[in-house]
Amino acid sequence: MPELWQPGCFMLTEHKPKIHLAQNASGAHFAALKGHLVVIVDVIDFSTSLETAIEKGALAVFGASPDNARVPVAVKPESVAVAAAKCALEHNAGIVLISEPRQGEKSELIDSCLRLYNTLKSLGVTVDEVIPNVGKGVSGLADFMGKVVVGVTKSGGTAFDAAFSAGAKVISATIARTADKKAIEPALAGCLRALKLAKKNKKDISFVAASSNSLVDILACQYLYNLIRTL
């Protein structure tokens, strides 16, 4: 049996990320500054909309703040637009915008995110669909296959934007039912995605409740925290 340690040889150990909890756009911002993989949890409905888009074949998903966002940290929807456009152009893909208000007309959905929308248009990408942020219901409102998706929402989108603008790798996770997943399945999908990325990039993980005013988001973060520690 060969010696475990030999001159010039090193044992490679898999990175085991530490798991943290945070809240609000400010928590996402400071988690990003610490170099964490930031996981945005906005169950109703940002994270659930994005999880549904992923399972319906989205190429990539992003989040951005609406124009009226008021948070104590920097948000730059134009920077998100540049990243989304770059991904779309590299893959010859269209873009689907998920926006608010949930009951709004298409013009209202666009008006709420003109900073992002106008930047996308100036970069020459095609915005194929603009749909409301309705969780698993987005599955029937757009064709997500091979598309780049941007969720522009007051809570989850703004928290995503805050972490992204601070230089983090950002994803989302939910515990709610999606179009194709139920029970533990949506949460497990989010945790496995986070764990894979964190290990690959040797980062710790912060689950961020998008709003400290939402007990649903806070409890969802705690559930995801407990679940990922069993994987």
Side-chain angles (χ1 to χ4, degrees):
M1 180 176 180
E3 292 290 331
L4 187 59
W5 293 101
Q6 297 180 14
C9 294
F10 301 90
M11 178 183 288
L12 297 178
T13 58
E14 185 177 52
H15 174 68
K16 186 174 182 180
K18 295 179 180 178
I19 314 300
H20 305 266
L21 295 174
Q23 298 175 5
N24 300 322
S26 56
H29 172 86
F30 289 114
L33 294 182
K34 293 175 183 176
H36 294 180
L37 170 69
V38 178
V39 185
I40 304 302
V41 182
D42 178 2
V43 177
I44 307 170
D45 281 296
F46 170 83
S47 297
T48 307
S49 294
L50 292 194
E51 190 68 35
T52 297
I54 291 169
E55 69 186 25
K56 292 301 181 181
L59 175 68
V61 296
F62 296 85
S65 62
D67 291 359
N68 63 357
R70 298 291 182 268
V71 290
V73 293
V75 288
K76 302 172 186 174
E78 294 89 350
S79 296
V80 177
V82 169
K86 182 175 185 291
C87 181
L89 292 170
E90 286 177 351
H91 294 88
N92 194 28
I95 286 183
V96 176
L97 288 186
I98 299 174
S99 187
E100 294 174 338
R102 290 179 177 85
Q103 305 299 323
E105 299 292 332
K106 181 178 178 180
S107 60
E108 294 177 273
L109 300 179
I110 293 173
D111 285 346
S112 72
C113 59
L114 285 174
R115 290 172 62 184
L116 177 128
Y117 184 82
N118 288 337
T119 302
L120 289 173
K121 299 294 283 186
S122 72
L123 293 170
V125 295
T126 302
V127 179
D128 291 335
E129 302 279 357
V130 182
I131 62 173
N133 177 37
V134 290
K136 70 174 184 176
V138 299
S139 64
L141 300 179
D143 177 10
F144 293 102
M145 183 61 65
K147 303 292 178 63
V148 176
V149 179
V150 186
V152 189
T153 72
K154 183 178 179 180
S155 294
T158 300
F160 190 111
D161 192 328
F164 186 88
S165 296
K169 173 68 177 176
V170 196
I171 61 173
S172 64
T174 187
I175 63 167
R177 290 183 66 174
T178 59
D180 297 335
K181 300 187 186 76
K182 61 184 179 180
I184 195 177
E185 293 171 343
L188 185 59
C191 284
L192 290 173
R193 186 163 57 244
L195 204 56
K196 180 179 179 180
L197 280 171
K199 288 181 176 180
K200 178 182 178 181
N201 295 287
K202 294 182 171 53
K203 292 182 177 293
D204 292 337
I205 299 170
S206 277
F207 287 103
V208 179
S211 173
S212 58
N213 292 320
S214 171
L215 187 57
V216 172
D217 293 349
I218 294 169
L219 293 175
C221 277
Q222 187 64 59
Y223 181 85
L224 292 162
Y225 174 91
N226 292 335
L227 177 60
I228 201 168
R229 287 163 62 89
T230 69
L231 300 177

